[in-house]
Amino acid sequence: MIRRLDRFGSRRYLRSRRPEGTSPLQAEAADQGVHRELVLREVAMTSPPPDVAELLQVTVDTPLVVRRHLVVLDGHPAATADSYIPAHLVEGTRIVRPERIPGGVHVALAEVLGTPLTHAVEALVARMPTLAETETLELPPGTPVVELIRTIHADDRPVEVTIWLFDASRHRFVYDVPVD
C-alpha cells in the first residue's frame, strides 16, 4: 500500500507551525515520518507561460527566473515544482543560482524584498498526466495527477508562482476551513 503525505493547505505556510529554517514540505514530511528529498533540477531564465504571466501581473516577455524541483518521498518521485519569480526582483541573489536554499526560497525572497510574504492563493485541478509527466513521476498506468498552481503575495503584489504536479496516489490535500 502506498503511504500518502498529507498536505495541510490552510496552515502549511505559517512559520509559527514549523521549526525555524524548514520549508513547509520539509516540516510536513518530518511530522509524518516521511523521508523527503528535494532535487533541484534546473535554475534558468525564461519567459512566462501566459497563465503565469497573468498571475504575476507581468507581460509574456518579462524575464523570469524558474527554479525546477523534483520531490522524492520515501525513495519515490512524488511531485514536481516549477517556481517562477520576476527576474528584476531577485537579480544577483542566491535565488538565481543553481543551489539549495536552506529553509526554502520563500525565506530568501522575503529577505530580498525586505517585506514578509503575506498570503498564498492556490488552485487545484485533477487530470491525467502527459507521457513526460508519467515518466518523470514514474506513475503506474491510470494514475492521475493533481496540478496545483500557487501564487505567493507580498501585500497585494504577486511575487512568485509555482506550478506543482503531484502524484495523486501519494498525496492527500487537507484544508481546515473556518465556518460561521
Side-chain angles (χ1 to χ4, degrees), residues 1 7 15 24 30 53 93 105 108 114 116 140 147-148 155 161-162 168 173:
M1 179 175 188
R7 184 183 187 282
R15 289 181 300 278
T93 71
V105 73
E147 183 178 75
L148 184 149
D155 293 318
V161 169
T162 299
F173 301 87

Side-chain angles (χ1 to χ4, degrees), residues 35-144:
H35 177 70
R36 180 221 35 117
E37 297 173 61
L38 188 63
V39 179
L40 180 61
R41 299 188 308 164
E42 178 184 33
V43 177
M45 295 296 290
T46 190
S47 296
D51 55 338
V52 171
E54 183 178 338
L55 290 167
L56 285 172
Q57 299 173 3
V58 298
T59 63
V60 292
D61 58 352
T62 300
L64 302 182
V65 173
V66 61
R67 296 179 60 88
R68 299 182 196 281
H69 290 88
L70 176 68
V71 178
V72 179
L73 301 176
D74 289 338
H76 302 281
T80 61
D82 295 347
S83 299
Y84 298 89
I85 304 168
H88 72 275
L89 296 177
V90 295
E91 292 176 294
T93 71
R94 63 186 173 172
I95 293 171
V96 301
R97 296 192 295 266
E99 62 186 52
R100 294 185 62 139
I101 299 176
V105 73
H106 294 158
V107 171
L109 186 56
E111 288 173 6
V112 168
L113 295 174
T115 186
L117 305 180
T118 54
H119 68 283
V121 176
E122 296 183 341
L124 295 103
V125 174
R127 62 176 176 80
M128 295 308 293
T130 66
L131 180 58
E133 293 165 346
T134 298
E135 291 171 356
T136 298
L137 294 176
E138 299 175 12
L139 299 171
T143 303

